Amino acid sequence: MKSATPPQRRTPRPARTFAMRFASTPRGARLARRLVSHRLDAWGHPYASPANETVTLIAAELTANAVRHGRVPGRDVHLRLTEAEDGTLRIEVTDTRTEGRPVAGTPAPDGESGRGLLLVDALADDWGVLPRPTGPGKTVWAERVLPPGRAAPAAPVSPSWTDRRCGPWR
């Protein structure tokens, strides 16, 4: 007897996830970049590897944009890094400002800013913007698919680094 419900497509479960809130300041963005690089190293993507350098640069651009353009005083920026079993690394940066959806444009030749999303567009396999699932705001995400034969997974890192708020250092 056949089932009346169609078969469900299986999507790969995330193999690893790192999530943390950061102060919506330049210092919070720098800390996010450093912790993404550290987490990737712990996951078996050494600091000098192309995967670590590329994903860290993407995370740095997304968090810097969130701090610069999505900042709401007293609200944090949330970063989530996921490595799926199929080798896809996904970076999500959520802020609480709804307006000002990011678009990659052409910066002024003598301008000092406006190139971050061009870098994200060039380095990521895909990226986009979604409404924040809970409350006002948006999530800017980017994905990088790693080639087969990447570094073997390292031992799991203590969960004490997960979902903690990091405020400004004094």
Side-chain angles (χ1 to χ4, degrees), residues 5 27 39 43-44 51 67 74 103 126 130 136-137 141:
T5 59
R27 185 173 278 175
R39 181 52 49 124
W43 286 353
V67 166
V103 292
D126 197 10
L130 298 169
W141 59 270

Side-chain angles (χ1 to χ4, degrees), residues 16-60:
R16 303 177 184 139
T17 299
F18 168 75
M20 189 176 276
R21 293 181 301 154
F22 296 91
S24 186
T25 63
R27 185 173 278 175
R30 285 191 306 271
L31 180 59
R33 180 191 72 229
R34 292 189 70 184
L35 290 179
V36 164
S37 182
H38 175 73
R39 181 52 49 124
L40 289 169
D41 180 67
W43 286 353
H45 307 288
Y47 291 111
S49 70
N52 192 308
E53 290 178 348
T54 302
V55 173
T56 299
L57 179 56
I58 293 169

Side-chain angles (χ1 to χ4, degrees), residues 107-169:
D110 59 346
E112 294 182 11
S113 64
R115 291 169 179 79
L117 286 178
L118 292 175
L119 283 171
V120 171
D121 191 49
L123 296 173
D125 293 309
D126 197 10
W127 73 277
V129 184
L130 298 169
R132 184 173 170 215
T134 57
K138 63 189 168 296
T139 298
V140 183
W141 59 270
E143 291 182 343
R144 177 78 178 177
V145 179
L146 300 182
R150 64 190 194 280
V157 177
S158 168
S160 63
W161 283 85
T162 308
D163 286 326
R164 291 193 305 181
R165 182 190 181 284
C166 292
W169 292 353

Side-chain angles (χ1 to χ4, degrees), residues 52-77:
N52 192 308
E53 290 178 348
T54 302
V55 173
T56 299
L57 179 56
I58 293 169
E61 292 299 334
L62 295 183
T63 55
N65 281 350
V67 166
R68 183 170 185 175
H69 303 292
R71 183 175 191 276
V72 173
R75 300 292 178 130
D76 293 335
V77 171

Side-chain angles (χ1 to χ4, degrees), residues 14 38 42 61 81 90 94 147:
H38 175 73
E61 292 299 334
L81 176 66
R90 181 179 175 101
T94 303

